[in-house]
Amino acid sequence: MRSDLMKKGIEKAPHRSLFKAMGYTQDELERPLIGIANSANEIIPGHIHLDKISEAVKAGIRISGGTPIEFSTIGVCDGIAMNHPGMRYSLASRELIADSVEIMAMAHPFDGLVLIPNCDKVIPGMLMAAMRLNIPAVLISGGPMLAGRRNKEAVDLISVFEGVGACKAGQMSREELQELEECACPGCGSCAGMFTANSMNCLAEALGLALPGNGTIPAVSAARIRLAKVAGMKVMELVALDSRPSDIATAMAFENAMAVDMALGCSTNTVLHVPAIAHEAGIGLNLDLFNVISARTPHLCSMRPGGTHYMEDLHSAGGVQAVMKELSTKDLIHLDAMTVTGKSVGGNLATARVLDEEVIRSVENPYHEEGGIAILYGNLAPEGAVVKQSAVAPEMLQRKGRARVFESETEAAEAILDSAIKPGDIVVIRYEGPKGGPGMQEMLTPTAAIMGMGLGRDVALITDGRFSGGTQGAAIGHISPEGAVGGPICLVQEGDEIVVDIPNKKLQLLVDESTLAQRKSEWSPPEPRIKRGYLARYAHLVTSGAKGAVLSDGPAQGNNP
């Protein structure tokens, strides 16, 4: 066993003595030692209950003859960090989470791992660590929040963000906004729509590294506790078989995850996280592959924020497994890929079925013929930009507009809420990329303000930053190269015409090349916003959003033995 490195033999008597100082018996030390990476804390609604998930996981490990050993990781609540300097730390936290799990599992060589995340950067951070470490591992999330209820209307966190814009526009009173804030988030769990956290929990399931049901079983359900116990038992089976993440998360598995991404209409942040996880596995995912898979994969689920259905609806309709079963009828899923259940994807899908054909439509009757995400290219985004096309109003799919240029998210949000943005404008927010931000802030406040003020069918927003999974509308992010390194977005001037053509995957600045060359010769990079501490180091090391914003000096060249 791997854990023998810290517990077996006469020379490890001091090590055993330290274990016994914590109350471990000799019997417990002779069993496989399973590390539990738990991101429980009291600042994220999706994590407040993870102590209960961990206890259930421990029970499952003990049932199957193992000894669970829990340790912690950090986590950022994107909603609470939104629209202030704290948001710069959100994406950057992903690398620290991956590193911290690596450190704990290498310093204390566990025989297997159970990963307990629930929100945006924690899920991909833990999956990156699992691929890097390549020891038997299962991910079990805390599950999605239920939708709130305001009178008879289902609501969620995005309803509140958009309510701010509606209040500013005089379409909602402050009393109504306060009433909404009281009921939109009714309890624990990752926010109730197909935002980034739930997108990644669903994709972990599709990737095969989490059990069926991981993405959709509600946080408050007893079924979530039962699934956590099964996760504890399954990791013991993986340890016995020496079944590792690299055996499961193959190129086929990543294609499965991307197909599910398209069918569900997941967050644009998956275009950062899925390549970053694949990078740790030594698998290169070119951005063009997202367009290839999107072109052949129908959009089957109309989930919040672009649609009307919530995670609880998707679960009742059959969940991720039912979506995969429907995709498999058109050979869009690799059925031979293995999963942590010990069965292939095809084996898992044998009993799956769609229970509500409005929530999970058939491949013959999709919401859209193409998948939920598109990658755009053009002289504004030579290395690509990302849009959640399933959440764009039809009249905004092709649009020519005038640039309104802002050097930060804060400036843009103030202008939108002060009614300075008019129909036909294209809001340009630059210097918010991985290096320039630094940290690639989410832009939920300006996009929600656009929607809340009734401009969602008239105004587009483009940025080298990124968007919340809760964003809807013509919001185009991850423009690469970013402005801070001299990408073309830094050359846009107030009033320039920009063409957005989502069906043809184009993003074009209508300025001639000689003018752009003159502007480039006069351009100089902005002063770094952060000059010391973690973010300064992060800005120095982080790569382009087109490469998943991974760190340039990370190992990520394969798996540890």
Side-chain angles (χ1 to χ4, degrees):
M1 290 190 291
R2 189 169 179 267
S3 61
D4 286 349
L5 292 170
M6 60 178 171
K7 69 180 186 183
K8 190 173 183 180
I10 190 169
E11 70 280 6
K12 297 303 189 300
H15 304 60
R16 292 191 295 273
S17 182
L18 290 168
F19 273 106
K20 289 172 182 177
M22 295 178 279
Y24 291 99
T25 66
Q26 185 62 32
D27 222 19
E28 287 176 298
L29 294 181
E30 290 173 1
R31 300 171 186 169
L33 303 185
I34 308 299
I36 300 175
N38 187 2
S39 55
N41 58 57
E42 296 181 352
I43 193 65
I44 308 177
H47 294 220
I48 194 74
H49 65 304
L50 294 188
D51 56 335
K52 306 295 190 300
I53 301 296
S54 179
E55 287 305 316
V57 168
K58 291 175 184 177
I61 292 169
R62 291 186 180 112
I63 286 169
S64 295
T67 297
I69 301 176
E70 183 177 352
F71 60 91
S72 61
T73 67
I74 62 167
V76 171
C77 178
D78 279 29
I80 294 173
M82 196 75 64
N83 197 31
H84 62 81
M87 177 45 71
R88 294 192 178 110
Y89 288 84
S90 175
L91 180 60
S93 74
R94 186 188 70 182
E95 316 309 311
L96 283 179
I97 291 160
D99 290 350
S100 67
V101 175
E102 176 196 1
I103 286 168
M104 292 298 289
M106 293 302 291
H108 317 100
F110 301 116
D111 298 301
L113 285 174
V114 178
L115 309 166
I116 309 179
N118 209 32
C119 288
D120 295 31
K121 310 310 161 301
V122 189
I123 306 153
M126 287 192 176
L127 288 173
M128 289 165 69
M131 299 312 305
R132 188 184 301 171
L133 290 161
N134 202 32
I135 61 176
V138 177
L139 182 141
I140 169 70
S141 76
M145 186 185 291
L146 296 176
R149 289 291 184 274
R150 181 171 178 253
N151 301 323
K152 293 184 179 180
E153 178 190 10
V155 292
D156 59 21
L157 178 67
I158 308 309
S159 306
V160 189
F161 272 99
E162 293 177 359
V164 173
C167 186
K168 286 277 190 177
Q171 298 167 8
M172 177 182 287
S173 69
R174 292 198 175 194
E175 291 73 22
E176 289 173 319
L177 180 59
Q178 183 174 355
E179 179 185 327
L180 180 58
E181 96 179 47
E182 293 283 350
C183 63
C185 300
C188 65
S190 45
C191 298
M194 192 56 74
F195 316 141
T196 304
N198 289 325
S199 295
M200 289 309 303
N201 279 328
C202 288
L203 296 192
E205 183 177 334
L207 195 56
L209 292 174
L211 295 169
N214 178 75
T216 60
I217 295 173
V220 295
S221 171
R224 177 63 56 178
I225 299 298
R226 295 196 297 271
L227 191 73
K229 289 180 181 176
V230 175
M233 293 185 275
K234 285 296 178 184
V235 76
M236 294 299 295
E237 293 179 13
L238 296 174
V239 168
L241 295 170
D242 195 27
S243 179
R244 302 182 181 216
S246 60
D247 300 322
I248 294 167
T250 60
M252 288 194 307
F254 279 99
E255 289 195 9
N256 284 347
M258 293 167 77
V260 170
D261 190 344
M262 299 304 167
L264 291 176
C266 288
S267 164
T268 53
N269 284 314
T270 61
V271 181
L272 288 173
H273 300 322
V274 172
I277 297 163
H279 181 67
E280 295 290 352
I283 297 170
L285 287 186
N286 190 291
L287 279 188
D288 288 337
L289 186 57
F290 282 89
N291 277 344
V292 170
I293 292 179
S294 181
R296 72 189 187 208
T297 308
H299 176 219
L300 304 182
C301 302
S302 184
M303 305 293 296
R304 286 281 291 164
T308 57
H309 298 132
Y310 293 84
M311 296 305 297
E312 60 207 76
D313 302 318
L314 179 59
H315 180 63
S316 297
V320 172
Q321 299 297 301
V323 172
M324 295 179 76
K325 182 69 170 279
E326 185 58 30
L327 292 175
S328 73
T329 65
K330 291 293 184 182
D331 297 324
L332 297 171
I333 293 293
H334 298 289
L335 298 176
D336 292 338
M338 288 304 296
T339 74
V340 291
T341 65
K343 299 179 183 178
S344 67
V345 168
N348 290 341
L349 298 185
T351 58
R353 60 193 181 99
V354 175
L355 303 175
D356 186 330
E357 293 186 356
E358 182 60 22
V359 178
I360 304 174
R361 288 195 176 181
S362 73
V363 292
E364 308 295 343
N365 181 38
Y367 284 97
H368 300 97
E369 292 294 335
E370 286 194 8
I373 289 175
I375 311 299
L376 311 184
Y377 294 94
N379 68 348
L380 250 183
E383 294 177 3
V386 184
V387 64
K388 190 172 184 174
Q389 61 182 349
S390 59
V392 179
E395 53 266 58
M396 291 300 294
L397 290 171
Q398 292 177 304
R399 176 61 61 105
K400 180 165 72 173
R402 56 188 174 272
R404 300 297 309 281
V405 182
F406 300 93
E407 310 295 293
S408 72
E409 180 210 7
T410 304
E411 289 180 17
E414 289 173 355
I416 296 164
L417 292 171
D418 287 343
S419 301
I421 301 302
K422 306 299 180 185
D425 287 346
I426 294 181
V427 177
V428 178
I429 306 176
R430 61 192 177 199
Y431 304 130
E432 292 287 10
K435 287 183 178 293
M440 211 175 187
Q441 296 190 93
E442 286 188 345
M443 305 288 172
L444 182 54
T445 296
T447 56
I450 287 170
M451 299 303 296
M453 297 186 76
L455 295 170
R457 296 177 183 272
D458 300 294
V459 170
L461 190 155
I462 69 173
T463 181
D464 50 9
R466 63 193 178 94
F467 297 110
S468 162
T471 292
Q472 60 176 311
I476 300 165
H478 307 198
I479 287 178
S480 299
E482 62 176 290
V485 299
I489 193 173
C490 77
L491 307 179
V492 181
Q493 293 186 2
E494 191 82 4
D496 285 349
E497 286 193 318
I498 294 172
V499 170
V500 174
D501 187 351
I502 295 172
N504 292 304
K505 312 296 187 289
K506 294 290 185 183
L507 182 63
Q508 201 76 8
L509 177 63
L510 299 183
V511 176
D512 64 80
E513 290 299 319
S514 61
T515 301
L516 291 178
Q518 178 63 30
R519 291 180 186 179
K520 186 65 177 285
S521 70
E522 297 168 356
W523 177 82
S524 57
E527 273 289 304
R529 289 187 173 118
I530 307 291
K531 298 182 179 180
R532 59 183 298 181
Y534 174 62
L535 274 186
R537 296 194 299 274
Y538 178 84
H540 179 67
L541 297 171
V542 70
T543 61
S544 166
K547 297 181 179 179
V550 296
L551 299 186
S552 59
D553 70 339
Q557 300 300 317
N559 307 109
N560 285 319

